[in-house]
Amino acid sequence: MLASRVMTLEKTDFYPDLFSAGDKIYFDHNATAPLCRKIVSSAPELLEAFGNPSSIHQFGRRPKKIIRDARNQFAKFIDCHPLELIFTSGGSESNSLVLKSEFLRAKKAGIKNPHFVVSKIEHPASIKSIEQLKELGLKVSWIEVDRNGQVDFSQYQSLFQEPVHLVSCMLANNETGCILPIKEMCQFAKSQGAKFHTDAVQALGKMEFSLKELDVDYASFAGHKFYAMKGVGALFSKQGNVIENLISGGGQERSRRGGTENTLGIASMGIVAEFFPQQKSYIEYVRTLRDSLEEKLVSRISNLEILGRETNRVCNTSSVFIQGVDGESLLMNLDLAGIAVSTGAACSSGNPEPSPVLIAMGLSHAEAQSSMRVSLGWGSTMAEVDRFIEELEKVVIRLRAIKENGGEL
Ligand SMILES: Cc1ncc(COP(=O)(O)O)c(C=O)c1O
């Protein structure tokens, strides 16, 4: 039923008006999503409220209200109390803030070597924060994942042989879209007296979830991954938790994050949150497109594997391994045809090292280097899926022929 609706559906039938890629195909939504146009049409009025939200005169009251409204709207859709949100500059800051804050809390409580349990497939913002903290005495135990991007629960439980202060594990992986069993992992962590942080940056708008149900202590979000602006995000910090600020300042965000607020950015998160009541249908729509894309990939291209296909994944992501084809060459050839995909995390493109996430999942270096990530969005269409498959088929045939001829065409 939905599939036939999808075939005839125009992007604008029930979707928020997003910036489009024109006659090009943008299948890299996990790197960043196009902006919702309502943000642009609302911007002049929002920017007119130029006062400092901390000022108590009337110039401060308007931006203060804009921030309060956005906080309420965003909190409603992730199911938390508005004051449990700390607005930040994005996912990287939210992850760094919670990891460093919890380390400091543990140190202040007299723990010499605080012990964190962290998954091997976290975003570099988390992994690099952990590396910094290790130099200051942090002890880390790593959660392993298998080729389907899934956690082995008994390996996870075995990491609690000594007291754990904090667990950090993402809700959905940016490269494979695999969803991790956060509710169960969090329940276990709590039974062992540990706190739990989840990086939910890639989950929002791609799967339904409620923070209350997950029952985590902390969760990270980034505006630009769900059609709001870049350079803005949020950290959910459950009531009762204390955050040690990384940016000291004038007491903004209840002294948990100093600095005059990014009023327009924060407002953009509230504007997109208005569309979230419809997100169930967006998710179903995108999933139908993605599933159709994968069926076509498997039937039209030989020696191709979709990583984590049999597991629980967000609606939009396909991580594709194509034997005998170099991922970077694939990306460049598709780019010439006007199609944007990615070979891993966007922040590591141009880096010849294979994706650490794919390596953690057990792929060899050669396999990881023959992989690409296709990530669709609320504005993608079936016509784009079909054009993508046609172009990809041509590129794969060409690249395999070049390889067989020892690099000559
Ligand atoms: C899972 C995940 N966490 C965090 C981030 C960082 O977010 P930001 O770009 O807002 O700093 C990203 C961005 O790719 C991500 O995919």
Side-chain angles (χ1 to χ4, degrees), residues 259-311:
T260 302
E261 297 87 340
N262 171 1
T263 312
L264 181 59
I266 292 170
S268 78
M269 290 179 55
I271 290 172
V272 180
E274 281 173 25
F275 294 100
F276 274 53
Q278 293 97 277
Q279 78 157 335
K280 195 171 169 24
S281 43
Y282 304 166
I283 290 171
E284 276 175 36
Y285 169 75
V286 176
R287 188 181 298 285
T288 308
L289 293 184
R290 195 274 312 270
D291 290 351
S292 165
L293 178 135
E294 291 189 347
E295 269 166 36
K296 289 168 187 162
L297 279 176
V298 171
S299 68
R300 304 253 299 255
I301 298 174
S302 61
N303 296 322
L304 175 148
E305 179 185 340
I306 291 160
L307 300 169
R309 193 177 184 194
E310 303 310 323
T311 59

Side-chain angles (χ1 to χ4, degrees), residues 43-73 87 252-253 260-268:
E45 204 189 319
L46 293 165
L47 290 169
E48 224 174 55
F50 65 84
N52 187 323
S54 298
S55 300
I56 45 177
H57 51 60
Q58 57 189 291
F59 288 91
R61 287 201 292 273
R62 263 182 78 192
K64 193 177 185 135
K65 181 174 180 324
I66 290 169
I67 293 172
R68 191 172 55 234
D69 290 348
R71 193 187 300 280
N72 290 339
Q73 282 164 320
F87 287 116
Q252 291 89 351
E253 297 299 283
T260 302
E261 297 87 340
N262 171 1
T263 312
L264 181 59
I266 292 170
S268 78

Side-chain angles (χ1 to χ4, degrees), residues 30-32 89-95 121-126 170-175 199-203 206 220-225 229-233 345-347 373:
N30 288 9
T32 197
S89 66
S92 300
E93 185 185 326
S94 299
N95 287 346
I121 56 169
E122 294 306 297
H123 185 268
S126 296
M170 53 187 18
L171 181 51
N173 183 262
N174 41 313
E175 293 189 44
D199 176 344
V201 162
Q202 292 288 351
K206 299 170 186 161
S220 305
F221 300 94
H224 71 113
K225 305 288 183 182
M229 288 176 69
K230 293 172 183 52
V232 66
C347 36
R373 175 184 74 186

